[in-house]
Amino acid sequence: MAEIGWIDFSVNDRKKMKQAMSLIRPEGQLDELGMGRIRDGIANLLFPGLSTIHTRAKYFFIVPYIFRDFLYLPLKEKNKITAARYLEERQHEVKNNLRAKYEGQSNTGIIGITLSEKQKSVRQPAEIYWVGINTFECLNAGGLSMSALLKNIQHIDFGAASQSNTEELDDDRDAGIDINHNIRIPAAPRNWKETIDIKLTQLEADFLENAFSDVHNPTLQNSVLQRVFHHNGLMQCLLNAKNFAEFAKVAYNLPNIENELRQNLILAHDFAYIIDGAHIIYNHLLQLHFFPKEYEGEHLTAWALWYENLPAALIDFNGFQIQDLNDWISDARYFVSNWWEMVNKQVPYKQLNMDAMFSLIRNRELSVKGRKARLHNSIQSYYEMQPMKWIGLRPLQYRFANAKRIIEDIKNPIQDA
């Protein structure tokens, strides 16, 4: 998969490029019916601290390592470069070191691996991983944004400790940072950037396993992340599953699963299937709208099968309640409530009021996308439209693939020689 990069001369250049890209990027391809808030709310219950753009567990350590290195620069060295610039340059250096080590390999999860040595990633690891780094207390910024913390550490001077090049002082130095600046990850070798591997060391793996399992971290309470290292069956279920639906259908019924986690898994699974039906109809309407001569009704055929399977496909068909989504449903309440009411009747397909469903979908897209709603524009407005090209969400995964990759990293650290 290609990545866009550019030679970055200044922070202002970078901001201008991001703004330009936001203007040319097709808007809303991922969430045309406005289900993202519900999806993200449920994902935060199951896999807090993770994101769909998290690729490898190593980045939870790379960023704090760079912060730690900057803290121990002599003050005269700090005065030559801002903490923000130091972070940016060191991340670029790490990218190039990993790129050189893994060049030619696929599916590495290395940010920017397809870019040239001079090109910088549009989004750097610190930006992508900041919330997770704080959630798992690799670095505890005390609620500060990354930019605020960078300003705070700019003029800190550790005096003689920052001048030493001896290994004997490493433990004292690291302990001092842990106490004073809440960088809690294990110590890294002085040449960690040069010898870096995308796999975790055993110390790093142990740290993250303990962080995920922390029963005192309120953000992680009753999450899959908190339980998976305590429950062998849940771990095996997660590692063996190909997608979230497969995982949830087994995991919710495992013995010794807390009731709150069980109910969250059921809710997540069933909502994903229910709202997938709305997206199938949406794509049916798109094909009718843009390609009336070529389209032969494939999506509607798929929807009929979806509808026929609905009662059996849900884990708890009779127990699904819209109010269970109250924390995140917001302006989607009317749409979700009416969609569920229309499809849960358990009457033959031919007895359904399909025109009412079509109208509900059209109106929902218009309320979410406004003048950019595809069903209310001609094909000239959307050159990216193609026959049978899927637009919008597919069965919700709630960051499952990202969580699985991160947990696999923790379970399989690099083996010391």
Side-chain angles (χ1 to χ4, degrees):
M1 180 173 137
E3 293 189 42
I4 297 175
W6 63 86
I7 299 174
D8 189 21
F9 295 104
S10 72
V11 173
N12 287 335
D13 290 339
R14 186 175 175 183
K15 288 181 179 177
K16 289 177 182 177
M17 180 62 74
K18 284 186 177 181
Q19 291 169 352
M21 289 184 66
S22 70
L23 294 175
I24 66 173
R25 182 175 59 242
E27 181 179 321
Q29 279 188 295
L30 297 179
D31 191 19
E32 301 299 87
L33 300 182
M35 295 297 106
R37 182 175 179 182
I38 302 174
R39 174 202 59 202
D40 293 345
I42 296 174
N44 286 335
L45 294 180
L46 301 174
F47 306 110
L50 298 186
S51 162
T52 56
I53 52 176
H54 286 169
T55 55
R56 299 299 294 264
K58 190 73 172 190
Y59 290 106
F60 289 113
F61 296 91
I62 288 172
V63 175
Y65 286 157
I66 295 172
F67 269 81
R68 180 179 278 166
D69 286 353
F70 181 81
L71 280 166
Y72 273 113
L73 286 178
L75 190 57
K76 64 179 181 179
E77 295 298 321
K78 286 191 179 76
N79 290 334
K80 296 178 182 178
I81 188 171
T82 65
R85 191 67 182 180
Y86 182 89
L87 174 63
E88 184 175 343
E89 291 181 358
R90 297 293 78 76
Q91 287 179 110
H92 183 60
E93 181 182 353
V94 168
K95 182 269 285 187
N96 283 334
N97 290 342
L98 287 170
R99 174 179 173 272
K101 185 167 188 174
Y102 285 88
E103 189 171 11
Q105 299 185 36
S106 60
N107 196 31
T108 62
I110 295 169
I111 298 171
I113 193 172
T114 61
L115 304 179
S116 72
E117 185 175 350
K118 291 184 178 180
Q119 288 176 311
K120 292 182 178 179
S121 301
V122 175
R123 295 188 70 184
Q124 295 283 359
E127 179 185 356
I128 294 170
Y129 282 79
W130 186 249
V131 172
I133 285 168
N134 283 271
T135 298
F136 307 128
E137 298 185 343
C138 304
L139 180 157
N140 186 346
L144 292 177
S145 66
M146 182 172 64
S147 60
L149 185 62
L150 287 168
K151 290 178 181 178
N152 281 3
I153 68 174
Q154 181 69 49
H155 302 295
I156 294 172
D157 184 12
F158 282 97
S162 63
Q163 310 294 329
S164 173
N165 290 319
T166 63
E167 297 291 339
E168 288 79 2
L169 288 178
D170 278 352
D171 290 342
D172 291 338
R173 288 169 51 172
D174 292 330
I177 287 182
D178 284 353
I179 293 170
N180 296 312
H181 302 284
N182 290 325
I183 299 178
R184 299 171 178 176
I185 55 172
R190 288 183 181 278
N191 63 340
W192 69 270
K193 293 189 296 295
E194 292 73 27
T195 61
I196 192 167
D197 196 294
I198 197 62
K199 292 184 177 181
L200 298 177
T201 66
Q202 187 63 59
L203 281 175
E204 291 167 343
D206 290 343
F207 178 91
L208 268 190
E209 179 176 337
N210 290 331
F212 282 15
S213 305
D214 185 2
V215 296
H216 301 295
N217 188 330
T219 305
L220 297 170
Q221 288 295 320
N222 297 303
S223 68
V224 173
L225 295 184
Q226 189 184 65
R227 291 300 304 152
V228 71
F229 289 99
H230 294 294
H231 194 298
N232 187 57
L234 189 64
M235 174 67 76
Q236 292 307 310
C237 176
L238 184 143
L239 296 178
N240 292 336
K242 296 177 182 178
N243 54 54
F244 177 78
E246 187 177 311
F247 166 68
K249 280 191 286 189
V250 176
Y252 91 94
N253 207 29
L254 290 171
N256 301 318
I257 292 292
E258 286 80 354
N259 187 60
E260 184 173 344
L261 176 55
R262 175 178 286 108
Q263 294 306 314
N264 288 339
L265 287 167
I266 294 171
L267 176 66
H269 174 276
D270 289 357
F271 177 73
Y273 190 86
I274 290 167
I275 211 62
D276 189 47
H279 287 96
I280 297 173
I281 290 293
Y282 175 65
N283 277 269
H284 166 68
L285 294 174
L286 283 174
Q287 293 299 313
L288 280 179
H289 183 65
F290 289 115
F291 310 106
K293 295 181 179 179
E294 298 95 330
Y295 180 56
E296 297 181 354
E298 293 91 338
H299 288 311
L300 192 59
T301 300
W303 189 87
L305 181 61
W306 171 91
Y307 175 73
E308 180 183 342
N309 291 336
L310 178 62
L314 299 195
I315 295 174
D316 188 9
F317 178 83
N318 293 320
F320 181 79
Q321 301 290 332
I322 297 299
Q323 54 261 35
D324 291 337
L325 304 170
N326 277 350
D327 287 346
W328 324 287
I329 198 166
S330 189
D331 67 339
R333 181 180 301 279
Y334 176 85
F335 171 70
V336 175
S337 298
N338 280 273
W339 175 254
W340 177 234
E341 183 179 346
M342 289 178 176
V343 301
N344 73 357
K345 298 180 182 302
Q346 293 186 272
V347 298
Y349 168 68
K350 292 184 178 180
Q351 295 181 20
L352 293 172
N353 186 344
M354 298 304 296
D355 288 339
M357 288 189 194
F358 296 166
S359 178
L360 182 70
I361 296 292
R362 289 192 183 97
N363 290 336
R364 177 58 184 172
E365 187 213 25
L366 182 61
S367 71
V368 172
K369 305 304 296 182
R371 62 184 179 83
K372 295 185 178 181
R374 289 178 170 86
L375 293 174
H376 296 263
N377 284 278
S378 68
I379 195 167
Q380 285 75 23
S381 301
Y382 290 100
Y383 296 104
E384 79 276 14
M385 289 297 304
Q386 299 172 14
M388 294 307 294
K389 177 184 177 181
W390 185 270
I391 298 293
L393 301 175
R394 281 281 25 200
L396 305 179
Q397 296 300 312
Y398 305 107
R399 310 169 192 163
F400 172 79
N402 308 84
K404 181 177 179 179
R405 184 68 177 269
I406 297 296
I407 290 169
E408 286 175 336
D409 279 351
I410 297 172
K411 291 284 289 182
N412 299 289
I414 194 168
Q415 299 300 311
D416 297 330

